[in-house]
């Protein structure tokens, strides 16, 4: 037997003791009995100097190695015991994680479909370089009718039922019946080229399932030296495709009449029903979505633009109607009823901000 | 405007189907609103024969009829009394649509017995109101024969929406002309009518000298007519388009109104007192019109009068006194052209809607006054006989034709496509335009029936609609070079941002009408007379709003009445202080009721939650302000909100003494009473237009970042203050202490009650001290603490609590 074999034996004995330990206290008392002031290994360390010189070096190495191994083992075992203690402690801490939580503000709050769709429309037209213009809700006959080539006696004046307010200094005041007066205001204040859309509230004295005394329109106007019907068609096609988020759309331009455009067109898009859901873009039925045309030369003259130099096109559509077609509401009146359940059902989340780069309604 | 296919074919030679015609009408600007095509409507219905009849085992009034039908033998249940063996009737199979019931026939069991179809009555077929029994078909008809072979009403009826510019299409002939131009057929020519008059009208007919308007009127008298019911062809036509047949004389005028767009009037000549004069009405003259209503006239109205007074409102409606009935012996027929604007104004003023007004105010054919009259005389004479007078005309006939020069380049300029000149000339010619070809320039004569052609763009429209809009090619709009710039106005952006911030705090956006009830406006002292609508749709919506709150409060009430407890609503829109452009202002307002849901106050298994209080409303405002870069030190809060707020529980946020940017608080209980609301409501109003934070910085760069490496120290203080000292003042005075190490001042506790004297309150304040250069010693910290204590106790007479 090698004279250093006793260190190996000693290590085995200590290991054995440690593995039998159950508590931190027992482990501590073992540590003291081995590494404490009077501990087994401590005594061996003290004995190094008592060895014969040729043994001293090896003896010292052996004792220190033993000490290191034992210390490591004790530490490891201590850590295990501590972990076990934590595990034991939290073993009864289980909770029911299936308990439900109330919705937070971001879930409950909603943006009205009209706001959402208005922003969708703006996003699309911005991409085609249209600026957003606005005008007042309270207008006069000059901006709402006369300048738009709708003189007092014009039968078209009876096409709309106008809300009137008391006159101011003999001048009429009315609630605008369309967003078209913004065209006039823009042309009077800005030099061509002009490219605007004007979303906003409009008013007509009408009320049934498809008419409310207030509704929303968006008006578009392009004035330039080279504007033409082909561009109008392109703008409307691009808009409809983008708005309804389809790659192609079947569209029909029907000649029509508006006093402020000549020639005038109404635009229908194809649609069909599938499982009671309206599918826009293809099908055998037609949906009227907007009115448009080349700006009437008389309107240009009314805002001091020479129709021989400038041309333009204009279009107008109902924002509420666009919302209904895209998102499936059936009753226009509900838009303005402030019924919380309806608003929560059809509303949008605060962070659903329309953006073309992300996909309009994704 | 309605017409039938056979009527159209009076004027148009065409082989197009009804669907083909309607498709074309849509594409040339005559929008088809409805097609009532019996062939389609009745396609499932065929003749059957009743082979046997049994009583229904479980119902006394019902019979089981054995039928021989196109599909073989079957049994149906029928409740009609007139069923009998051998009778021929109309069989509707399962799955067919019954027009009079508006339903698709489903296989059903009636009292336990299956019915395999249905026998139809006239009403169920929409042939008449008759519902006494099932419709009986001629006994010689064959089983399986289509129903349409056995009924008269098999002429398709088309309804077209005519735009106000196209008065010429208010007659069937005008529609036929458009269709012929669009290659749907050939327009038949109108026969020239030679009128053989043989006596003069005795009673004088004159035009008042003082009449300023251009008027032209022609009259023919037919003596010894025999007025009667109209012949069947005439009756059927009128009834098909929804007009009631009255008598031959009246029916002829209605017929020509729709056939040739030539409104006419017939007088019973014997009822005319002495003479006829066309003049302006006198003030307060009255007339009882053919609609049995009395109208009060004035000097603006043109009338046809006799010695007894007005007997017809010119071009709008005839008078009852001289109207024709079955006893009429001598009839005077009038055909005229009136002043369009006068007709429009009079019609609107008197509120009369008539076929004559509709056409006369839009403009009728200027060259078809006498010829139209001749046509009427011809038909009346054919039906009623009699002796025809010479024609009597008064006034000057209008100039029938205008011309204009049309530059061919205008087509490409406006439409973006080029056209062959021959094609343009061909289209215009078939529409009735006269053309002189001067090379690139066409001298165009406008047809006498077109009142909508005033300039070159109008000609472009004609070419476009007839050629077809599908020829227009999409041309991309040019885009600006480079990256796109900002497109939204600041106010639009502000509204949009505000909406999304508020929605993120659990508020739900509403969009409500801009007008409210004056009842609510009164509660808010918002009765501005200039904002009251003169013609409101109802008294609930009769004044423009000066605040968004009335609608929000009333919506809260409506939702609460539906059993919804926790309500948080907002609206962002404009309101009005007056009718000027600058009186319109943007506002964002919200109302909250119930639990503070969305703000961590919802009721759940952790607790009952908490109710909304005014500090939630205040926070709604502040979150918006911060999003706009308005930090807490950039405004002042005062306690002088408008009267509709609770005087003690409301605040005003100002940037500068005159510039109010928001209100928040509880609504005054007396206003809530008006809305029938018992709970307290917390609300806010924000005025984005008033924000003054928009100083544009030169760069987007932010201030340099600095962070101290020393630990911050936190110290709590509690003082006893007088009750009406404002927290804001306390915080400000600490912040103003000249020590850069005082970094953050917070209130962590407000307490009144036990151990605190009445009229006093205890406020706990937490101050963060941030050393910048070294760790502070206890003594240095104490010095700062003492500074704070001195400041507070000196300024507010507050006492530090032990």
């Amino acid at each position: 037997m090698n004279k250093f074999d006793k260190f190996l034996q000693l290590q085995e004995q200590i290991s054995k003791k440690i593995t039998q330990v159950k508590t931190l206290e027992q482990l501590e008392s073992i540590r003291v009995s081995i590494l404490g002031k009077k501990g087994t290994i401590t005594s061996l360390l003290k004995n190094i100097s008592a060895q014969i010189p040729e043994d001293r070096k090896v003896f010292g190495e052996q004792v220190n190695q033993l000490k290191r191994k034992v210390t490591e083992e004790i530490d490891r075992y201590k850590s295990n015991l501590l972990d076990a203690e934590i595990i034991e402690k939290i073993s009864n801490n289980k909770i029911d994680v299936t308990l439900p939580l109330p919705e937070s503000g971001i879930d409950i709050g909603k943006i009205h479909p009209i706001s959402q769709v208005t922003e969708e429309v703006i996003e699309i037209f911005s991409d085609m370089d249209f600026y957003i213009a606005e005008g007042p809700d309270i207008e006069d006959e000059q901006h709402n009718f006369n300048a738009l080539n709708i003189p007092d006696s014009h039968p078209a004046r009876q096409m709309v039922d106008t809300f009137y307010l008391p006159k101011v200094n003999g001048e009429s005041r009315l609630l605008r019946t369309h967003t078209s007066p913004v065209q006039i205001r823009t042309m009077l204040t800005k030099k061509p080229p002009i490219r605007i859309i004007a979303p906003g509230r409009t008013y007509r004295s009408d009320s049934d399932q498809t008419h409310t005394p207030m509704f929303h329109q968006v008006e578009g106007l392009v004035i330039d030296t080279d504007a033409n019907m082909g561009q109008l068609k392109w703008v409307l096609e691009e808009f409809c495709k983008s708005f309804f988020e389809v790659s192609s759309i079947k569209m029909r331009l029907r000649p029509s009449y508006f006093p402020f455009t000549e020639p005038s067109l109404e635009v229908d898009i194809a649609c069909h029903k599938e499982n009671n859901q309206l599918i826009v873009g293809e099908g055998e039925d037609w949906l009227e979505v907007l009115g448009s045309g080349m700006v009437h030369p008389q309107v240009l003259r009314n805002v001091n633009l020479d129709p021989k130099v400038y041309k333009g096109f204009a279009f107008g559509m109902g924002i509420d109607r666009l919302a209904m077609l895209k998102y499936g509401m059936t009753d226009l009146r509900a838009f303005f009823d402030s019924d919380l359940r309806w608003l929560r059902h059809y509303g949008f989340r605060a962070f659903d901000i329309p953006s073309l780069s992300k996909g309009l309604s994704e | 405007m309605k017409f039938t296919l056979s009527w159209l074919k009076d004027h148009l030679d065409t082989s197009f189907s009804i669907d083909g015609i309607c498709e074309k009408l849509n594409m040339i600007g005559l929008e088809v609103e409805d097609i009532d095509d019996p062939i389609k409507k009745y396609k499932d219905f065929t003749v059957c024969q009743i082979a046997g009849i049994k009583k229904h085992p479980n119902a006394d009034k019902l019979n089981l009829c054995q039928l021989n039908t196109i599909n073989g033998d079957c049994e149906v249940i029928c409740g009609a009394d007139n069923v009998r063996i051998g009778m021929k009737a109309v069989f509707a199979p399962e799955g067919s649509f019954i027009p009079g019931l508006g339903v698709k026939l489903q296989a059903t069991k009636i009292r336990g017995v299956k019915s395999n179809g249905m026998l139809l009555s006239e009403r169920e077929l929409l042939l008449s109101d008759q519902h006494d029994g099932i419709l009986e078909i001629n006994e010689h008809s064959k089983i399986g024969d289509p129903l349409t072979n056995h009924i008269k009403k098999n002429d398709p009826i088309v309804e077209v929406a005519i735009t106000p510019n196209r008065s010429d299409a208010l007659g069937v002939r005008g529609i036929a002309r458009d269709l012929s131009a669009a290659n749907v057929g050939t327009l038949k020519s109108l026969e020239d009518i030679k009128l053989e008059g043989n006596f003069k009208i005795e009673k004088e007919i004159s035009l008042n000298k003082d009449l300023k308007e251009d008027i032209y009127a022609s009259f023919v008298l037919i003596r010894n007519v025999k007025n009667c019911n109209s012949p069947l062809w005439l009756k059927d036509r009128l009834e098909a388009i929804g007009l009631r047949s009255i008598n031959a004389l009246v029916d002829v005028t209605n017929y020509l109104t729709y056939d040739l767009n030539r409104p006419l009037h017939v007088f019973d000549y014997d009822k005319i007192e002495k003479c006829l004069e066309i003049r302006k009405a006198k003030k307060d003259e009255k007339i009882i019109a053919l609609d049995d209503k009395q109208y009060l006239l004035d000097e603006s109205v043109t009338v046809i009068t006799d010695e007894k007074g007005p007997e017809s409102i010119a071009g709008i409606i005839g008078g009852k006194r001289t109207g024709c009935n079955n006893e009429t012996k001598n009839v005077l027929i009038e055909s005229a052209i009136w002043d369009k604007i006068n007709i429009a104004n009079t019609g609107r003023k008197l509120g009369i809607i008539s076929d004559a007004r509709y056409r006369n105010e839009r403009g009728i054919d200027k060259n078809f006054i006498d010829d139209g009259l001749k046509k009427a005389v011809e038909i009346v004479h054919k039906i009623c006989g009699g002796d025809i007078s010479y024609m009597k005309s008064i006034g000057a006939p209008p100039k029938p034709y205008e011309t204009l020069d049309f530059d061919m380049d205008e087509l490409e300029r406006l439409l973006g496509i080029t056209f062959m000149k021959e094609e343009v000339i061909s289209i215009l010619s078939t529409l009735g335009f006269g053309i002189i070809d001067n090379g690139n320039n066409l001298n165009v004569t406008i047809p006498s029936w077109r009142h909508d052609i005033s300039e070159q763009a109008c000609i472009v429209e004609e070419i476009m609609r007839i050629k077809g809009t599908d020829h227009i090619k999409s041309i991309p709009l040019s885009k600006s070079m480079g990256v796109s710039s900002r497109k939204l106005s600041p106010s639009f952006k502000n509204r949009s941002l505000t909406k999304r911030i508020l929605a993120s705090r659990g508020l739900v956006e509403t969009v409500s009408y801009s007008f409210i009830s004056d009842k609510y406006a009164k509660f808010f002292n918002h009765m501005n007379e200039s904002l009251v609508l003169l013609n409101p749709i109802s008294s609930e919506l009769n004044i423009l709003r000066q605040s968004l709150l009335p609608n929000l409060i009333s919506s809260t009430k409506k939702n609460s009445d539906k059993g919804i407890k926790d309500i948080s609503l907002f609206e962002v829109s404009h309101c009005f202080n007056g009718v000027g452009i600058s009186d319109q202002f943007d506002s964002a307002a919200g109302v909250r009721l119930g639990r503070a849901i969305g703000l961590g106050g919802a009721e759940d298994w952790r607790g009952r939650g908490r109710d909304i209080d005014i500090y939630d409303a205040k926070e709604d405002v502040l979150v918006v302000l911060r999003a706009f870069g308005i930090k807490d030190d950039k405004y002042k809060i005062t306690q002088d909100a408008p009267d509709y707020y609770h005087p003690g529980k409301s605040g005003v946020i100002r940037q500068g003494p005159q510039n109010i940017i928001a209100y928040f608080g509880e609504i005054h209980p007396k206003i809530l009473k008006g809305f029938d609301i018992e709970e307290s409501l917390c609300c806010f109003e924000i005025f984005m237009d008033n924000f003054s934070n928009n100083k544009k910085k030169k760069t987007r760069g932010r201030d340099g970042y600095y962070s101290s490496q020393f630990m911050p120290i936190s110290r709590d203080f509690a003082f006893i203050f007088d009750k009406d000292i404002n927290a804001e003042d306390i915080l400000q005075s600490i912040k103003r202490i000249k020590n850069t190490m005082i970094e953050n001042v917070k209130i962590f506790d407000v307490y009144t009650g036990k151990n605190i004297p009445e009229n006093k309150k205890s406020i706990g304040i937490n101050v963060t001290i941030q050393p910048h250069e070294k760790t502070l010693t206890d003594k240095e910290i104490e010095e700062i603490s003492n500074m704070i204590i001195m400041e507070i106790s000196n300024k507010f007479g507050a006492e530090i609590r032990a």
Side-chain angles (χ1 to χ4, degrees), chain B residues 485-723:
Chain B
S485 57
R486 182 162 69 83
K487 300 296 191 306
L488 286 176
S489 65
S491 66
F492 197 102
K493 216 174 72 182
N494 290 355
R495 289 198 298 273
S496 171
L497 175 61
T498 306
K499 284 175 192 175
R500 294 194 182 271
I501 293 165
L502 294 174
S504 74
R505 291 182 47 79
L507 288 146
V508 174
E509 188 191 7
T510 67
V511 173
S512 68
Y513 294 144
S514 304
F515 16 65
I516 59 173
S517 164
D518 59 355
K519 185 177 105 185
Y520 295 147
K522 272 178 202 139
F523 294 160
F524 284 74
N525 209 7
H526 280 168
M527 281 306 296
N528 181 335
E529 290 300 327
S530 70
L531 294 175
V532 178
L533 293 180
L534 300 179
N535 55 338
I537 204 154
S538 81
S539 62
E540 296 295 302
L541 304 167
N542 61 356
I543 183 167
L544 288 174
R545 59 185 175 185
Q546 291 184 59
S547 162
L548 299 174
L549 286 179
N551 275 344
L552 284 168
I553 295 171
S554 111
S555 302
T556 304
K557 167 72 178 165
K558 269 198 285 180
N559 280 302
S560 150
D561 285 350
K562 286 176 192 156
I564 302 174
K565 288 198 182 74
D566 307 316
I567 300 169
S568 289
L569 296 174
F570 78 99
E571 180 164 10
V572 177
S573 187
H574 39 256
C575 298
F576 309 87
N577 276 329
V579 295
I581 293 179
S582 57
D583 293 325
Q584 182 175 316
F585 62 96
D586 276 345
S587 176
V591 167
R592 289 185 183 266
L593 172 72
R595 301 279 160 178
I597 56 166
L599 300 172
E603 179 175 359
D604 62 16
W605 48 269
R606 290 173 292 190
R608 301 242 33 223
R610 67 169 181 87
D611 280 345
I612 286 288
D613 60 40
I614 91 153
Y615 296 106
D616 295 310
K618 178 179 175 181
E619 194 176 36
D620 288 332
V621 175
L622 298 190
V623 170
V624 170
L625 296 189
R626 283 178 210 127
F628 280 90
I630 303 174
K631 294 195 182 121
D632 295 5
D633 56 351
K634 291 285 188 290
Y635 55 78
K636 286 251 164 339
I637 300 179
T638 58
Q639 231 160 338
D640 50 353
D643 290 346
Y644 50 87
Y645 283 96
H646 188 301
K649 296 182 178 172
S650 62
V652 180
I653 302 185
R654 294 166 194 272
Q655 286 187 303
Q658 298 304 319
N659 188 28
I660 291 168
I661 57 170
Y663 299 129
F664 64 89
E666 283 184 17
I667 288 288
H668 200 297
K670 87 183 171 207
I671 301 233
L672 292 177
K673 209 176 82 198
F675 284 92
D676 202 15
I677 294 175
E678 282 165 11
E679 303 91 333
S680 56
L681 277 193
C682 293
C683 66
F684 62 86
E685 289 169 276
I686 304 171
F687 309 105
M688 290 87 79
D689 297 343
N690 295 349
F691 290 174
S692 58
N693 64 320
N694 294 327
K695 271 179 232 150
K696 242 197 169 169
K697 278 193 185 168
K698 283 221 173 98
T699 78
R700 302 283 170 196
R702 303 193 176 185
D703 296 341
Y705 176 69
Y706 161 77
S707 160
S708 173
Q709 52 179 316
F710 302 100
M711 280 292 282
I713 300 137
S714 170
R715 281 285 175 277
D716 287 348
F717 305 88
F719 294 94
I720 294 174
F721 291 95
D722 282 348
K723 221 170 187 172

Side-chain angles (χ1 to χ4, degrees), chain B residues 233-283:
Chain B
W233 69 267
L234 178 53
K235 222 176 180 171
D236 284 347
R237 287 240 162 124
L238 294 181
E239 280 171 1
I241 62 167
L243 295 178
R244 198 161 53 92
S245 167
I246 295 165
N247 57 49
L249 293 177
V250 174
D251 288 357
V252 169
T253 64
N254 286 334
Y255 176 67
L256 288 177
T257 300
Y258 280 87
D259 187 45
L260 300 172
N261 189 32
R262 181 54 266 184
L264 298 155
H265 183 55
V266 286
F267 299 88
D268 186 325
Y269 186 73
D270 298 332
K271 294 176 190 162
I272 296 170
E273 208 65 36
K274 285 200 174 147
C275 59
L276 277 186
E277 188 191 22
I278 299 172
R279 62 163 167 84
K280 284 290 173 195
K282 294 167 186 157
K283 194 171 168 28

Side-chain angles (χ1 to χ4, degrees), chain A residues 100 110 112 115 119 127 129 131 134 137 152 162 164 203 229 233 237 253 264 301 307 311 338, chain B residues 348 357 413-414 455 461 469 472 474 479-480 485 495-496 509 514 534-535 559 562 574 584 605:
Chain A
K110 285 280 147 59
H112 196 285
S115 296
E119 290 189 12
D127 194 61
D129 271 350
Y131 285 78
E134 292 187 275
D137 288 16
D152 192 32
T162 312
Y164 285 94
Y203 307 84
M229 206 70 144
K233 186 177 179 183
E237 278 170 351
L253 308 177
S264 303
R301 277 177 224 122
K311 299 174 292 171
S338 305
Chain B
R348 198 184 314 168
R357 171 197 167 189
R413 209 173 84 89
L414 291 180
E455 45 186 316
E461 177 168 86
T469 53
I472 297 170
S474 295
K479 268 202 173 189
S480 63
S485 57
R495 289 198 298 273
S496 171
E509 188 191 7
S514 304
L534 300 179
N535 55 338
N559 280 302
K562 286 176 192 156
H574 39 256
Q584 182 175 316
W605 48 269

